[in-house]
Amino acid sequence: MAVFKRKRKLLGAALGSGGAKGLAHLGALQAFEENGIRFDVLAGTSAGAITGALYAKGYSPADIAELLARVDYKQTLLSVLLERSAQPLHRLMDDVLGECAFSELQKPFAAVATDVSDGSEVVLREGNVARAVLASSAMPPFFKPVEIDGRRLADGAFSNAVPGDVARALGAGLVVGIALSPAEKYAEVAFETESGRKLVLRQEGVSSCDILLEPDLSAYTAMSVFDANTMFDIGYACAKEHMPQVERLLHARRAAAC
């Protein structure tokens, strides 16, 4: 994996995949913000890419929650199913990200997608942010692959669901990962290429996290769009529970840097 040449940062977030369960990311980020902890770099996959992109653009967790609360989920889901395309979501992302390029974001950010030809991980770091986020979120069979630079890309959950290694490559010295499903689920992931070849993909990203938050979202699915408030609260409570551990590690890192 390429290492991005940036000044080394202190704190990175690796925001995992999970569809609607991504509302737990916002709850966790809100808890960190209330404790005066803000992330310097962000890497995200699928739902985590959506949250990470908006956070990197400068939206607060409360801002993002408010934006998502305005979404007509029934109409959006219907449009997605009818078009079998991420285009309805593209229009939604364009509303909040516009034509924003990665270079225009306030914080370093990367989105992770999967190449449908061979199952390889693709780290998106340049070009249009909204399109990268859509590629990272294009879960088959609901979405068609998104083409970027001649590669057909689908949901990054297959190749790197909790991209702790990507956050570290962005320059993070300390990485907090948030897994929306149990982390052991990502050790080996079944994937079928566009040509029909069946693969088992082994993921390394989650093992690169210094701290891993695993909010208990077992009662919810990637489609639980109407349980947003509850999942937000679960993410918030999980981050609060781990806050002393995060603060200890941050203090130790800062002390070592002096």
Side-chain angles (χ1 to χ4, degrees):
M1 176 186 298
V3 175
F4 306 110
K5 296 180 179 179
R6 288 184 178 271
K7 183 179 177 181
R8 193 159 184 80
K9 304 292 183 179
L10 183 61
L11 188 61
L15 305 178
S17 62
K21 293 188 289 184
L23 271 297
H25 286 320
L26 295 180
L29 291 174
Q30 180 65 34
F32 284 118
E33 190 168 89
E34 289 176 5
N35 280 266
I37 296 173
R38 292 188 62 79
F39 292 93
D40 301 302
V41 302
L42 301 104
T45 299
S46 195
I50 295 172
T51 301
L54 293 171
Y55 187 97
K57 185 171 173 61
Y59 288 106
S60 71
D63 291 336
I64 300 170
E66 184 179 340
L67 287 169
L68 294 178
R70 299 177 193 163
V71 176
D72 184 339
Y73 288 107
K74 286 184 179 179
Q75 183 57 48
T76 300
L77 288 172
L78 180 61
S79 298
V80 165
L81 292 172
L82 288 174
E83 296 183 31
R84 252 204 84 228
S85 163
Q87 197 58 37
L89 293 179
H90 198 166
R91 293 191 288 268
L92 177 63
M93 293 305 296
D94 274 344
D95 285 344
V96 291
L97 287 171
E99 292 300 315
C100 181
F102 278 90
S103 59
E104 298 173 296
L105 295 173
Q106 294 183 16
K107 297 175 183 289
F109 165 70
V112 175
T114 303
D115 190 320
V116 298
S117 69
D118 59 9
S120 61
E121 175 187 357
V122 179
V123 178
L124 299 167
R125 218 23 217 103
E126 297 178 344
N128 180 269
V129 178
R131 189 160 183 80
V133 166
L134 289 173
S136 179
S137 309
M139 174 61 76
F142 302 109
F143 300 149
K144 297 174 184 175
V146 175
E147 186 169 325
I148 296 179
D149 295 332
R151 303 181 77 172
R152 288 167 60 76
L153 306 178
D155 200 304
F158 296 108
S159 56
N160 197 350
V162 186
D165 51 344
V166 178
R168 201 170 297 284
L170 285 170
L174 181 67
V175 177
V176 176
I178 305 179
L180 303 179
S181 295
E184 62 265 20
K185 171 182 176 180
Y186 304 127
E188 294 185 347
V189 179
F191 180 73
E192 185 173 338
T193 68
E194 202 165 32
S195 65
R197 185 160 55 109
K198 291 180 170 57
L199 304 172
V200 175
L201 305 181
R202 292 171 176 83
Q203 301 190 10
E204 303 294 335
V206 69
S207 64
S208 295
C209 299
D210 297 289
I211 300 169
L212 183 65
L213 276 59
E214 297 182 85
D216 184 3
L217 299 165
S218 56
Y220 306 96
T221 73
M223 303 296 285
S224 299
V225 293
F226 302 110
D227 296 298
N229 291 338
T230 303
M231 292 187 290
F232 181 101
D233 292 343
I234 291 172
Y236 181 91
C238 182
K240 278 292 201 182
E241 180 183 347
H242 287 80
M243 201 66 64
Q245 180 188 9
V246 175
E247 290 176 333
R248 280 195 303 271
L249 280 176
L250 273 174
H251 180 75
R253 294 281 175 142
R254 287 169 180 157
C258 294

